[in-house]
Amino acid sequence: MEQQGRPREAAYGHVPAAAQAPPSPRVPEQVRGEHTHSEPPAPRPVQRHSVRGQILDALRAALVSGELVPGEVYSGPGLGARFGVSATPVREAMQQLVLEGAVEVVPNRGFRVTVRSATELAELAEVRSLIEVPVMLRLARTVPAARWCELRPLAEATTTAAATGNRAAYAESDRAFHRAVLSLAGNHQLVAVADDLHRRSQWPLLTGDRLGRRADLLADAAEHLALLDALAARDLTVVQSLVSEHFAGADR
């Protein structure tokens, strides 16, 4: 039913142009700006992601160290209690590890740590060698010796980490060294792919002692310094041999 004394259009929200209120006077920019200084800034949605990132790093370290045992199932609430956070960032971090192949979802229970095989690690070593050996040979031909000298502190850092026997700390320094070497190629996609393969190769077997002994860590770290020397000397034969043996030794 139409409202008395009101045009039909108004009853449905359509007001004729002539009946519309006149436009408000334009407020100068500087006047409008005066009212924004007291408004609270928009919240920055980074804290949740920051917590998720920290939990992801902690879970990766626990995987490398063998604290999270291959074949075992872990719940989000249980891991959250261990790290002092809610189950939500743990589940989010675990979903990333699912994508990386480190864990698998167990419905209504949690996440099972993937059981690795020696064959899988050997395949990863082969793929890494196929990618990185040609790149390092090219870098050996083109990068000045002075640039390789700049990377010695990173190689020495791997030796320091190895001396502690802390497998997770060594794994991080090991990847940092390889990223720095490959970054000289100027290919960001290459670095990202190689780093992902490297991370996957660091997860332990079910037996749990691969690269876990201090002597093995020290031997692995020593190869970094030898590689830098060969790269600086442009000794392509030694570079190829060292890189291939380095990757093959990753699954011993």
Side-chain angles (χ1 to χ4, degrees), residues 146 151 154 236:
L151 298 186
L154 286 175
L236 303 186

Side-chain angles (χ1 to χ4, degrees), residues 47-117:
Q47 180 148 4
R48 181 176 177 182
H49 296 292
S50 176
V51 172
R52 173 188 174 277
Q54 292 176 35
I55 296 302
L56 181 58
D57 289 342
L59 289 172
R60 283 172 170 164
L63 283 167
V64 172
S65 67
E67 182 182 350
L68 295 182
V69 181
E72 292 294 321
V73 177
Y74 298 89
S75 70
L79 290 172
R82 177 184 300 189
F83 294 118
V85 298
S86 69
T88 299
V90 172
R91 292 193 182 103
E92 292 174 347
M94 278 295 197
Q95 289 298 334
Q96 175 59 36
L97 293 176
V98 169
L99 296 176
E100 296 177 5
V103 300
E104 58 187 6
V105 176
V106 180
N108 302 319
R109 293 184 60 195
F111 303 86
R112 177 184 289 112
V113 178
T114 303
V115 177
R116 317 297 303 286
S117 68

